[in-house]
Amino acid sequence: MPVSLKRFAAYAVVLAGFLSLAYGLTTLLAVLNFFNLESAPAAEVLSLLKSRGGTVQTALISALIGYLLAVPMMLIITQAAFSDQAGRGMKRHVAFGLVWASLPLRPLWWGAYLTLIPVLLAAHAPGADATMGTATFASYRMIGAVLNTATEDVAVNILGGTWFVLVGLVISRTRNLPRPLGWIGVVIGILYLVSSGELLGFGFGNGGEIIPLIAGVAGPFWLGAAGFFAVRKVF
């Protein structure tokens, strides 16, 4: 494949990944307030799904695509960050390993909700058995909570946050990519890691809601900016 075509394809992946993440997460966070429904009563959850179900599904699909496209974006950035270092360097292998390790976990939460929401609505349709509806909602909540830990806490916050810190430090110490991007990446990585501190028993009060929000918004923008610089460096 010609270099120019490879560069075009890489730019397309970065742009598509950024737009998918930005639209999906912004819609779910700011427009629908979807993530705060994890502990809401069944009636409130069902009200949103019935009134804005199409928007919810579209945002979930967009975020799922963005989470998957984040993998090639992160691989390109890693390649650019370590471009002038020995190919066998341990940090380089760890950085690539963190990205690949997160891949199987990234689609779980989004895919589960895309599957569960139609089932949940069908179980609460007019004439449906009330007991079945209650059981379905309990399953919906339990599966969502378990897979949220796998996708958000492990894949994004822990594996992704560690990657942000590692690659950000490398960028900040080299001239492969703009150094300010490196330090910003380190800060975002720390925010991601802190976001999952509750898994270790740490509580952050109001920061427990604000910190993940900052990381979730800043992360996609950083990936988009660093990705465009990285494409020019790698291809």
Side-chain angles (χ1 to χ4, degrees):
M1 183 184 296
V3 174
S4 59
L5 188 55
K6 289 182 179 179
R7 177 174 293 184
F8 175 81
Y11 276 131
V13 168
V14 171
L15 180 60
F18 166 70
L19 292 177
S20 297
L21 281 173
Y23 170 77
L25 295 179
T26 300
T27 302
L28 292 169
L29 284 167
V31 178
L32 300 172
N33 200 25
F34 183 77
F35 297 107
N36 286 341
L37 292 178
E38 291 177 353
S39 58
E44 188 175 339
V45 175
L46 291 167
S47 176
L48 173 68
L49 296 180
K50 290 176 180 178
S51 62
R52 308 199 65 179
T55 303
V56 171
Q57 294 280 56
T58 301
L60 287 172
I61 292 172
S62 179
L64 170 60
I65 293 172
Y67 264 51
L68 293 175
L69 288 178
V71 170
M73 293 169 72
M74 293 165 75
L75 293 175
I76 292 171
I77 294 169
T78 303
Q79 182 66 31
F82 289 92
S83 60
D84 61 354
Q85 299 191 20
R88 298 179 181 274
M90 180 59 69
K91 290 181 180 179
R92 182 177 183 274
H93 290 312
V94 170
F96 277 113
L98 288 168
V99 179
W100 286 117
S102 73
L103 178 58
L105 302 175
R106 286 178 172 272
L108 294 180
W109 188 88
W110 310 97
Y113 268 91
L114 285 167
T115 304
L116 289 170
I117 286 175
V119 175
L120 182 63
L121 290 173
H124 287 83
D129 181 71
T131 303
M132 181 62 69
T134 301
T136 303
F137 185 79
S139 300
Y140 162 89
R141 178 144 288 168
M142 179 187 67
I143 294 172
V146 171
L147 295 185
N148 180 58
T149 298
T151 294
E152 192 68 21
D153 288 314
V154 178
V156 177
N157 292 345
I158 296 177
L159 297 178
T162 304
W163 177 86
F164 266 91
V165 172
L166 176 58
V167 172
L169 286 173
V170 171
I171 293 172
S172 69
R173 295 171 181 174
T174 65
R175 297 184 181 279
N176 295 328
L177 296 173
R179 287 185 176 181
L181 276 177
W183 292 118
I184 295 172
V186 171
V187 172
I188 293 173
I190 292 172
L191 292 177
Y192 273 126
L193 291 169
V194 169
S195 297
S196 290
E198 60 185 13
L199 291 179
L200 303 176
F202 298 103
F204 300 96
N206 292 333
E209 296 181 1
I210 297 173
I211 293 173
L213 178 62
I214 295 174
V217 172
F221 279 93
W222 189 92
L223 287 176
F228 274 98
F229 282 107
V231 168
R232 189 169 57 186
K233 178 75 176 180
V234 174
F235 297 98

